[in-house]
Amino acid sequence: KADMIIPYFGSNDQRHFMRVNVSKVFTLIINIISGHKIKYYNGSVIHKRFNVMRWSPDTYGFAYQAEIIVKVLAEKGTFREVMIDNLDREEGSSKAFRIQNILAVLHSILQIFLRRLRKLLFY
């Protein structure tokens, strides 16, 4: 019934306070620059194969899902959001805050912004 099933955590997010807030800021930024109101961009989204093959991301960083979601929605794709439970990892640490990942996320944000700007100016 939709092109994408997008999970979000709701109030039961068990991740560290810092990670929750960074995710909220990232989601707010992507929603502002894309014009959408998605609750969470970095979960394990279920996509139709066709959309993934057609709208692959331009990044290798942690923001690849945001790029695909925004591309599909720009082409009038549909979505459903589903709340899921999330538990923080018990061992190890996040690799999201390494410099190469931060740069990749900034690149994705810029790509999403420029794509939206082109659409507003030229279409």
Side-chain angles (χ1 to χ4, degrees), residues 7-61:
Y8 68 97
F9 302 129
S11 61
N12 194 22
D13 193 344
Q14 299 297 314
R15 295 176 299 165
H16 186 272
F17 176 77
M18 176 74 161
R19 287 189 64 206
V20 170
N21 286 317
V22 168
S23 289
K24 286 180 181 181
V25 169
F26 175 76
T27 299
L28 178 65
I29 290 168
I30 299 301
N31 280 335
I32 289 170
I33 65 175
S34 70
H36 300 296
K37 292 182 181 177
I38 303 297
K39 294 176 183 167
Y40 186 66
Y41 284 94
N42 285 339
S44 298
V45 177
I46 299 171
H47 291 278
K48 287 186 174 181
R49 183 179 184 272
F50 172 80
N51 289 332
V52 173
M53 299 299 286
R54 184 174 183 198
W55 304 112
S56 61
D58 297 323
T59 185
Y60 297 102

Side-chain angles (χ1 to χ4, degrees), residues 15-16 18-24 26 40 42-43 59-64 88-89 91-109:
R15 295 176 299 165
H16 186 272
M18 176 74 161
R19 287 189 64 206
V20 170
N21 286 317
V22 168
S23 289
K24 286 180 181 181
F26 175 76
Y40 186 66
N42 285 339
T59 185
Y60 297 102
F62 282 89
Y64 74 95
D88 203 6
R89 70 181 77 209
E91 295 181 18
S93 61
S94 174
K95 297 176 182 161
F97 299 110
R98 291 183 177 171
I99 189 68
Q100 66 264 29
N101 293 324
I102 293 169
L103 292 174
V105 168
L106 292 173
H107 175 263
S108 293
I109 290 170

Side-chain angles (χ1 to χ4, degrees), residues 55-117:
W55 304 112
S56 61
D58 297 323
T59 185
Y60 297 102
F62 282 89
Y64 74 95
Q65 281 291 14
E67 279 199 54
I68 295 175
I69 290 169
V70 170
K71 284 180 179 181
V72 171
L73 293 177
E75 295 299 317
K76 307 295 184 220
T78 59
F79 69 97
R80 298 280 189 264
E81 292 179 297
V82 177
M83 190 169 72
I84 61 171
D85 289 333
N86 182 44
L87 301 174
D88 203 6
R89 70 181 77 209
E90 293 181 19
E91 295 181 18
S93 61
S94 174
K95 297 176 182 161
F97 299 110
R98 291 183 177 171
I99 189 68
Q100 66 264 29
N101 293 324
I102 293 169
L103 292 174
V105 168
L106 292 173
H107 175 263
S108 293
I109 290 170
L110 181 62
Q111 290 285 90
I112 292 167
F113 172 74
L114 291 175
R115 199 173 300 114
R116 174 92 191 278
L117 186 61

